[in-house]
Amino acid sequence: MNAPQTLSRWREPGTSRVPFWAYTDPSLYQRELERLFYGPHWCYVGLAIEIPNTGDYRLSWIGERQVIMVRDRIAPKDRATDHGIRVVENRCAHRGVRFCQAPMDGQTGNARSFVCPYHQWTYKLNGDLAGLPFKDGVKADGPEGDCVHGGMPADFDIGKNGLTKLRVAVLHGMVFATFSEEAEPFDQYIGPQVMPWLDRIFQGRQLQLLGYNRQRIPGNWKLMMENIKDPYHPGLLHTWFVTFGLWRADQKSRMVMDEKGRHAVMISRRNDGGANKVVTEGVTSFKANMALNDARLLDVVPEPWWTVDDPSNPGATITPTVTMITLFPSLIIQQQVNSLSTRHIVPRGAGEFDFVWTHFGFADDTEEMTQRRLRQANLFGPAGFVSADDGEVIEFSQDGFKQWGEEGATLVELGGREDDVGQPPTEHMVTETLIRSMYAYWKKAMGIQ
Ligand code: FES
Ligand code: FE2
């Protein structure tokens, strides 16, 4: 793809200014799909527990391409080395039909094989083409005896005409895939700075699916990534956070990024709520008199796995109450007290994205803990007591960018103007370092220098 005109338009050096056109330009967005979502990046597809049995499948998205996550049949002897999960593109190799419709609920199903309705080409669960009608033509009686009409050319190779098969990586029950042969091995892609924080939430535990939320947000997809790399706003925008002490500027916090600046973890520890003049005075979202009618919404019970060895301080431990992990380009993993979810970003053009929340717990949770996780999930999702605020400000941001035009840019200077890539974690939350670092990587990947 030729570099769009826009690429020479990033006038300021560095990433402390992000031009508004980076969120609105349709040709730039096409380049993002090619270079980021379909390029050498691992994208989230779903959870392995969503397809527990052989033949179970679930439709998902990587960028604007629909994919099928499916559990293949595997021989018992291969079970130790093969998780059996395949990801194939939902696009028929014959004439491009999006053949799999998941008729029950539009998302999930179970199949012995996939059959395209148009001409009934049939694919194995692993995406191989198993057969097609009239491949060898139709026998007919001709005046000179038997003859064959039509059919595929003699050199048509069934082995070369399957579905697009993606590379798949499964980490702690989360399924990732990439269209690219160039993407580095998955562990390397995540990197040693971020991996311990994924291990902390998931390691060794069977997950339990609790439910979904889905919403369409009228804003550029990167705004969602920025929102979860932005520790500045939660204690200012969110009444719930600042009033009940779930996230405030006086909390002990840490901002971690991977060595390329693209993934991040915002880590923080809750304090007791109530007024702390330094961080609540003048904060309009702080409501000293606000109380809950149902206190169970914040019936927080510490869990043993919250405490881990501190990756930054050998010999010490750390007990966060919240970790917000962003895996570039399209996944957020949230632990906010007892509530856990993955949040999948599915771009829908430069100005819109779908946001799919998958709430989960652990198979060995007590029923009481499951109910607690579900109740706390009310803070999140499209109408969540907290997250509704984020959806709204993202929409307002996009509205601002649209009305401005060529010269406008966001200002990302909190904590400095450098991109900070390769720097050690920041031990407070009064910084936009993770946003600057993401754009440093984005510019490189997009070929903008
Ligand atoms: Fe799928 Fe023809 S388009 S079989
Ligand atoms: Fe927020």
Side-chain angles (χ1 to χ4, degrees):
M1 182 187 282
N2 290 329
Q5 295 252 312
T6 49
L7 299 192
S8 57
R9 282 158 49 201
W10 192 301
R11 297 203 184 96
E12 304 272 342
T15 57
S16 64
R17 293 281 190 284
V18 180
F20 289 166
W21 52 256
Y23 306 90
T24 57
D25 186 301
S27 64
L28 188 81
Y29 168 71
Q30 287 306 319
R31 190 176 173 90
E32 287 180 323
L33 289 178
E34 293 299 329
R35 291 201 164 205
L36 307 180
F37 292 88
Y38 313 148
H41 297 91
W42 288 94
C43 292
Y44 177 73
V45 177
L47 297 177
I49 47 164
E50 294 176 289
I51 48 167
N53 304 309
T54 301
D56 283 353
Y57 64 84
R58 180 168 183 84
L59 300 179
S60 185
W61 297 92
I62 293 183
E64 295 195 3
R65 292 166 84 168
Q66 192 173 63
V67 296
I68 310 169
M69 172 176 77
V70 56
R71 195 171 287 266
D72 196 6
R73 52 180 71 78
I74 42 171
K77 69 175 174 43
D78 296 328
R79 288 205 180 123
T81 53
D82 183 359
H83 48 64
I85 295 175
R86 317 284 178 237
V87 178
V88 295
E89 190 168 12
N90 189 4
R91 180 168 56 85
C92 181
H94 182 215
R95 300 251 291 274
V97 165
R98 186 184 286 168
F99 57 89
C100 182
Q101 302 297 329
M104 292 295 284
D105 63 355
Q107 308 284 331
T108 54
N110 182 279
R112 294 175 61 81
S113 57
F114 295 115
V115 183
C116 177
Y118 205 172
H119 313 91
Q120 297 181 16
W121 284 32
T122 300
Y123 302 94
K124 296 181 190 169
L125 297 175
N126 69 4
D128 285 345
L129 179 58
L132 55 132
F134 310 123
K135 173 172 162 292
D136 300 321
V138 175
K139 283 207 179 82
D141 290 337
E144 283 110 45
D146 286 356
C147 67
V148 175
H149 293 313
M152 297 302 269
D155 63 355
F156 177 79
D157 185 349
I158 271 205
K160 291 205 175 109
N161 286 279
L163 302 172
T164 308
K165 297 178 184 181
L166 284 76
R167 291 169 65 201
V168 177
V170 180
L171 176 73
H172 298 322
M174 290 182 290
V175 181
F176 296 82
T178 177
F179 285 101
S180 167
E181 287 306 317
E182 271 86 62
E184 66 246 68
F186 183 74
D187 282 15
Q188 212 174 306
Y189 182 74
I190 298 299
Q193 296 84 359
V194 172
M195 193 62 93
W197 299 103
L198 293 171
D199 293 343
R200 170 180 170 272
I201 294 178
F202 292 95
Q203 202 160 54
R205 276 174 295 182
Q206 177 69 28
L207 304 184
Q208 181 181 188
L209 191 60
L210 298 185
Y212 299 98
N213 286 122
R214 236 173 267 283
Q215 67 192 117
R216 181 160 290 184
I217 298 181
N220 183 268
W221 66 273
K222 295 189 292 301
L223 289 169
M224 194 69 245
M225 276 285 160
E226 285 182 24
N227 182 264
I228 306 296
K229 291 173 187 281
D230 170 11
Y232 186 26
H233 86 276
L236 297 167
L237 171 70
H238 299 304
T239 291
W240 261 72
F241 276 177
V242 68
T243 304
F244 300 124
L246 288 166
W247 185 284
R248 275 190 345 198
D250 55 339
Q251 290 177 191
K252 213 170 157 30
S253 305
R254 181 184 300 165
M255 304 299 127
V256 173
M257 66 178 81
D258 74 319
E259 64 179 12
K260 295 190 174 175
R262 56 190 173 183
H263 316 308
V265 194
M266 297 200 302
I267 300 154
S268 194
R269 183 173 170 74
R270 179 190 190 204
N271 52 22
D272 293 329
N276 167 342
K277 279 212 155 130
V278 180
V279 292
T280 57
E281 205 164 55
V283 174
T284 54
S285 56
F286 178 69
K287 316 270 187 236
N289 298 323
M290 192 165 104
L292 298 174
N293 284 328
D294 186 347
R296 293 177 307 169
L297 283 162
L298 282 179
D299 163 33
V300 174
V301 171
E303 301 181 58
W305 59 268
W306 289 6
T307 302
V308 285
D309 291 339
D310 186 341
S312 301
N313 298 304
T317 59
I318 183 170
T319 308
T321 57
V322 48
T323 61
M324 301 297 293
I325 303 174
T326 37
L327 298 185
F328 191 84
S330 55
L331 181 65
I332 294 152
I333 301 162
Q334 163 223 317
Q335 178 226 336
Q336 173 59 266
V337 285
N338 303 115
S339 171
L340 296 156
S341 69
T342 62
R343 309 177 183 181
H344 184 192
I345 297 170
V346 182
R348 292 272 175 259
E352 210 163 56
F353 65 94
D354 286 348
F355 202 32
V356 183
W357 306 64
T358 304
H359 301 275
F360 66 89
F362 304 110
D364 59 3
D365 284 342
T366 60
E367 179 53 27
E368 193 191 357
M369 181 56 87
T370 298
Q371 289 306 317
R372 180 177 294 114
R373 294 197 204 287
L374 283 166
R375 272 195 302 271
Q376 290 180 18
N378 284 298
L379 276 64
F380 306 104
F385 300 129
V386 173
S387 299
D389 304 340
D390 294 310
E392 191 173 38
V393 291
I394 286 175
E395 179 174 356
F396 294 165
S397 300
Q398 192 77 13
D399 287 347
F401 305 157
K402 279 191 298 201
Q403 79 188 19
W404 195 268
E406 182 63 28
E407 297 303 318
T410 68
L411 189 155
V412 197
E413 294 190 355
L414 200 69
R417 296 196 180 94
E418 302 302 316
D419 66 33
D420 304 334
V421 175
Q423 296 301 308
T426 308
E427 301 286 337
H428 60 80
M429 61 169 76
V430 197
T431 179
E432 290 165 328
T433 175
L434 301 179
I435 300 177
R436 288 190 296 274
S437 73
M438 178 180 78
Y439 280 103
Y441 179 77
W442 180 90
K443 281 176 78 174
K444 260 197 202 116
M446 292 289 286
I448 299 174
Q449 284 306 331

